[in-house]
């Protein structure tokens, strides 16, 4: 049987412990998970795509079932190009749902063979977002426990 491959897309600017929790859950559904970082996003990122890829490799590098890539253009095209059939997204509060539903339905219209799967992170990460982590770090707050250590160190460097 061929490997079941999932793509876990996002900005990951930076990766949080919430992302890592979703990743571990995605790993239970698929043989291989490809973390796909959107390049050329409209938003101005704190970390370059290369920096984000480097950090993530440092964190998950030991696990051969997880790969890190960047992509431009449509997510479904990238997903097809790597032979994946699942797109994984994390859901936190109800506020995430509307945007996620629209994206999942648009992606389904574009590529009916690809299924979007929503996973819920541990409750303790339900309020953790890259945006709030960056704000906390910028204002001198402690991000320990919210992000993996390599991210914490890079945030400390940056601010
Ligand atoms: O972490 P984010 O910023 O919520 O991730 C959003 C992401 C990267 C998953 C989304 O913006 C995306 O897939 N962008 C690529 C363009 C695309 O395919 N859009 C959806 C159909 S129009």
């Amino acid at each position: 049987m061929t490997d079941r491959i999932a793509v876990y897309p996002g900005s990951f600017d930076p990766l949080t412990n919430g992302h890592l929790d979703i990743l571990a859950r995605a790993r239970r559904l698929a043989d291989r998970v490809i973390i796909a970082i959107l390049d050329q996003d409209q938003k101005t990122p704190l970390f370059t795509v290369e920096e984000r890829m480097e950090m993530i490799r440092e964190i998950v590098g030991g696990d051969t079932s997880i790969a890190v890539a960047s992509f431009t253009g449509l997510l479904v095209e990238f997903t097809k190009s790597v032979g994946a059939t699942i797109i994984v997204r994390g859901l936190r509060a109800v506020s995430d749902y509307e945007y996620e539903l629209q994206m999942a339905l648009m992606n389904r219209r574009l590529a009916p063979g690809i299924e979007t799967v929503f996973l819920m992170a541990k409750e303790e990460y339900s309020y953790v977002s890259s945006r709030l982590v960056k704000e906390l770090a910028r204002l001198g707050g402690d991000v320990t426990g919210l992000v993996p250590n390599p991210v914490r160190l890079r945030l400390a460097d940056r601010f």
Side-chain angles (χ1 to χ4, degrees), residues 6-7 13 19 25 28 42 44 63 72 93 99 104 106-107 109-110 128 144:
V7 165
D13 184 41
H19 290 131
R25 291 170 202 283
R28 294 193 199 146
Q42 312 288 341
T44 311
D63 188 336
T72 54
Y99 167 64
M106 185 64 84
N107 284 335
R109 177 193 162 100
L110 295 170
V128 177
T144 307

Side-chain angles (χ1 to χ4, degrees), residues 126-137:
S126 62
Y127 62 94
V128 177
S129 68
S130 300
R131 185 177 61 80
L132 276 189
V133 160
K134 281 184 279 192
E135 185 165 322
L136 187 58

Side-chain angles (χ1 to χ4, degrees), residues 9-11 38 43 71 73-75 89 99 103 106-107 110:
S11 306
L38 177 63
K43 305 176 222 166
F71 74 102
L74 287 176
L75 172 61
R89 291 286 288 171
Y99 167 64
M103 206 157 61
M106 185 64 84
N107 284 335
L110 295 170

Side-chain angles (χ1 to χ4, degrees), residues 8 12-22 89-93 95-96 100 119-137 142-148 151-152 155:
Y8 181 24
F12 302 106
D13 184 41
L15 181 108
T16 67
N17 283 345
H19 290 131
L20 272 189
D21 186 90
I22 297 291
R89 291 286 288 171
L91 266 190
R92 288 165 303 196
S95 49
D96 284 340
E100 293 297 336
L119 298 174
M120 271 65 74
K122 258 192 200 145
E123 313 83 85
E124 64 195 83
Y125 300 130
S126 62
Y127 62 94
V128 177
S129 68
S130 300
R131 185 177 61 80
L132 276 189
V133 160
K134 281 184 279 192
E135 185 165 322
L136 187 58
D142 185 6
V143 296
T144 307
L146 302 176
V147 294
V151 174
R152 188 179 62 77
L155 282 169

Side-chain angles (χ1 to χ4, degrees), residues 81-119:
S81 76
V82 294
T85 50
I86 302 172
I87 293 172
V88 169
R89 291 286 288 171
L91 266 190
R92 288 165 303 196
V94 177
S95 49
D96 284 340
Y97 179 76
E98 203 165 302
Y99 167 64
E100 293 297 336
L101 174 70
Q102 286 177 355
M103 206 157 61
L105 293 181
M106 185 64 84
N107 284 335
R108 183 192 280 169
R109 177 193 162 100
L110 295 170
I114 295 172
E115 213 56 64
T116 298
V117 174
F118 294 109
L119 298 174

